[in-house]
Amino acid sequence: MVLNPLHVQILPSILAADFARLGEEIAAVEEAGAAMIHVDVMDGHFVPNISIGPPVVKSIRKATRLRLDVHLMITDPDRYIPAFIESGADQISVHQEACHHLDRTLRLIQTEGARAGAVLNPATPVSTLEDVLGVADFVLLMSVNPGYGGQEFLPHTLEKVRRLRAVSADLPIEIDGGITSRNVAAAVRAGCNWIVAGSSIFQSSGAAAAFREMQQIASEALAIQV
Ligand code: DX5
Ligand code: ZN
């Protein structure tokens, strides 16, 4: 499987950013070449943590032209999807585990005007998405249990990426959690093209430099795969 290098992208996750300086933090990675920003929404029910909601997405939308990739870690996502899209989300991903009617929820996101992604927790098999692969615009595989930044990468996720890539050559596959400059190449070689990185970018000594380094490693990993 050879992916177009242009399509391998590091997505900085603002969960690890300094929220008091959010505009500056985003501007730094935008200038460094990021194409998308990953926005983690947590409700304290589906995951044991609370983060941000539509008003923050609306403010970010005014501050950047980058695509906003909104990861909903919430119960009953259908209730909030229109508000997030109205606030400026370009794509929204929902957890298979949080949706009673995943097919309907993915179609709702698309009808409201955004790209729709299906997310799996580390414990949920790839096979559970078999019947929505024709509907989803992308799949996000969690490589940590969702809820917090800065957790250890779960290596079995790479096998899930390979399994998914084997049944879907063109689908964008996103990976999220515990990605560092040490494991990013393995994620790309397994078949990921959208790679979320929070702590390793925003908790580093310089977000722009950390982004550039990870983006370079990711692109080179693909080059030697050919
Ligand atoms: C975890 C979130 C991730 C998080 C990743 O629940 O979905 O997007 O921000 O953070 P790092 O890269 O620090 O693991
Ligand atoms: Zn996330």
Side-chain angles (χ1 to χ4, degrees), residues 19-32:
F19 277 29
R21 298 175 42 249
L22 195 50
E24 289 165 49
E25 297 263 61
I26 292 173
V29 291
E30 180 165 9
E31 226 174 283

Side-chain angles (χ1 to χ4, degrees), residues 65-121:
R65 290 210 300 263
L66 297 185
R67 285 187 72 83
L68 300 183
D69 174 46
V70 176
H71 174 194
L72 297 185
M73 288 162 274
I74 63 176
T75 52
D76 201 4
D78 296 41
R79 231 176 114 186
Y80 301 96
I81 283 164
F84 279 104
I85 294 174
E86 209 172 297
S87 300
D90 296 291
Q91 51 191 55
I92 292 198
S93 56
V94 289
H95 274 256
Q96 184 266 19
E97 304 87 357
C99 294
H100 294 300
H101 307 287
L102 181 59
D103 181 276
R104 174 184 286 151
T105 304
L106 293 171
R107 289 177 197 276
L108 170 67
I109 296 168
Q110 291 164 339
T111 304
E112 293 288 324
R115 196 143 65 163
V119 192
L120 294 182
N121 279 335

Side-chain angles (χ1 to χ4, degrees), residues 13-16 38 40 42 47 71 73 142 144-151 176-179 196-200:
S13 167
I14 58 162
L15 188 66
H38 184 81
D40 287 307
M42 304 176 178
V47 290
H71 174 194
M73 288 162 274
M142 290 306 301
V144 297
N145 288 293
Y148 302 97
Q151 300 181 82
D176 183 10
I179 298 288
V196 176
S199 312
S200 49

